[in-house]
Amino acid sequence: MGTGVKPGKWKRIQNRLWKDRYIYLLLAPGLLYFLVYRYIPMLGIAIAFKEYSPFLGFADSPWVGFDNFARIFESSEVIRVLGNTLIISLLQIIFAFPAPILLAIMLNEVSRSATKRIIQSVVYLPHFLSWVVVVGIVTIFFRNDGLVNDFLVLIMGMEQGVPFLTNPDFFRIFLVLEVIWKEAGWGTIIFLAALAGVSPSLYEAAVMDGASRLRQIWHITLPAIRSTIIILLIIRLGDVLEVGFEQVFLQLNAFNMEIGNTLDTFVYYKGIQQSDYSLSTAVGVFKGIVGLVLVITANKLAKRFGEQGVY
């Protein structure tokens, strides 16, 4: 007995593909993007299991098994960098992740549509700025001779300005605040779309029952976007070791390197500047595995508590 597709079934598949050919044509650019930039580069994962040398080439470099992964946990530098990454990521989850939710709830409470549209446009704009521009703005405002320090010295009467950019204590604070300012407005789009499906009759019934605005938000607004929050949180956990290369790299200096160097910048310094391609690839694979495990675990926990998961 043959195990292939039956001729009649194959014919039906061909007819369906031809019938929907224009839809598949529209999908082609996106599929090519993921094929060229996501799946084909995965062949380079083999470097993590080799002592890769550009002079020997990809095929002739000797295999070393899991030695590069062992180096990750044997190196005190990698452990420190991993700790920095987890701390920054945790701070972003605690403070930056809820920001779009709170902003969406506040925008949902604005009754005048014209005012609401103006506010939405204003808070959306920072998303379209690159991190180079955002960090440049922060640098101009908070450098030693910047506007903020001029205000502190000339207006507030301080003897000297505050070294915001060279004091390590401010580094993580700036990272979190920059993410909130840049991405909070854009993140409200999904939550506002979820709130658009809430029937106004629910709010009217709550008013008739004497519920305050806070009660309405707690019992109507938040439950309406709860599943969306959980799905986005699961996706965010998949990137728990991804805190943004550009933002961190542009603000690193000799004063904050000890607490600011993350896995992304470590891979750059090790892989590009020091040509340790094998270790940097192993770190990248490790990040992907951790993200996958966290997504699967969080998805199962969400379903166990009766919520809708990612899959």
Side-chain angles (χ1 to χ4, degrees):
M1 295 178 65
T3 58
V5 180
K6 295 180 179 180
K9 190 174 182 180
W10 176 246
K11 185 66 175 179
R12 288 195 298 271
I13 294 174
Q14 286 182 317
N15 291 336
R16 179 171 293 182
L17 289 174
W18 178 254
K19 180 181 178 181
D20 299 330
R21 59 189 182 278
Y22 296 114
I23 296 177
Y24 292 113
L25 187 63
L26 290 173
L27 288 174
L31 294 176
L32 285 174
Y33 167 80
F34 282 100
L35 178 65
V36 174
Y37 294 102
R38 299 293 181 179
Y39 288 100
I40 293 179
M42 289 180 68
L43 297 174
I45 290 176
I47 297 177
F49 303 93
K50 292 188 171 190
E51 189 62 41
Y52 178 73
S53 171
F55 302 101
L56 296 176
F58 184 81
D60 296 330
S61 296
W63 289 90
V64 295
F66 291 94
D67 289 355
N68 291 314
F69 292 93
R71 290 171 60 194
I72 294 177
F73 301 99
E74 292 172 355
S75 172
S76 59
E77 183 183 7
V78 177
I79 299 301
R80 176 177 56 81
V81 168
L82 177 61
N84 292 340
T85 305
L86 289 174
I87 291 173
I88 294 173
S89 184
L90 182 62
L91 289 173
Q92 290 184 355
I93 292 175
I94 293 175
F95 296 103
F97 181 79
I101 303 172
L102 297 175
L103 185 56
I105 292 174
M106 289 189 289
L107 286 173
N108 190 60
E109 295 298 311
V110 178
S111 57
R112 296 183 59 181
S113 58
T115 305
K116 186 175 181 179
R117 285 196 298 269
I118 293 173
I119 296 174
Q120 284 178 307
S121 299
V122 171
V123 296
Y124 288 171
L125 287 177
H127 170 77
F128 299 99
L129 299 177
S130 69
W131 279 115
V132 176
V133 175
V134 173
V135 174
I137 294 173
V138 172
T139 302
I140 291 173
F141 273 86
F142 290 95
R143 63 189 180 188
N144 292 336
D145 58 345
L147 183 63
V148 174
N149 274 319
D150 287 345
F151 174 81
L152 294 177
V153 174
L154 299 177
I155 306 299
M156 302 300 295
M158 294 180 61
E159 294 184 3
Q160 60 182 5
V162 179
F164 292 105
L165 302 181
T166 56
N167 189 336
D169 296 335
F170 292 103
F171 180 78
R172 291 167 179 165
I173 297 174
F174 276 126
L175 290 183
V176 175
L177 292 178
E178 288 164 6
V179 171
I180 293 174
W181 180 73
K182 185 176 185 296
E183 302 295 347
W186 185 255
T188 60
I189 293 177
I190 298 176
F191 298 108
L192 287 174
L195 289 173
V198 180
S199 174
S201 61
L202 295 176
Y203 292 102
E204 295 171 0
V207 172
M208 295 295 294
D209 291 338
S212 64
R213 298 302 300 179
L214 290 178
R215 282 287 186 179
Q216 294 175 41
I217 291 172
W218 183 258
H219 293 287
I220 300 175
T221 305
L222 285 176
I225 60 176
R226 183 173 57 190
S227 60
T228 305
I229 294 173
I230 292 174
I231 290 174
L232 292 179
L233 181 59
I234 293 173
I235 296 174
R236 178 63 183 85
L237 288 176
D239 292 330
V240 72
L241 297 182
E242 189 83 28
V243 295
F245 169 76
E246 288 182 68
Q247 182 193 12
V248 176
F249 178 74
L250 291 169
Q251 296 178 86
L252 281 179
N253 54 53
F255 301 96
N256 57 34
M257 181 65 73
E258 189 72 18
I259 68 166
N261 194 16
T262 63
L263 286 175
D264 292 324
T265 52
F266 173 81
V267 168
Y268 169 77
Y269 291 126
K270 274 289 182 182
I272 304 300
Q273 293 192 350
Q274 300 180 23
S275 300
D276 195 344
Y277 303 108
S278 298
L279 178 61
S280 59
T281 305
V283 171
V285 174
F286 171 73
K287 285 172 52 182
I289 293 174
V290 171
L292 177 62
V293 171
L294 287 175
V295 167
I296 294 174
T297 303
N299 191 71
K300 288 185 177 180
L301 287 175
K303 288 188 174 182
R304 180 168 295 182
F305 286 102
E307 299 295 338
Q308 184 179 1
V310 176
Y311 57 89

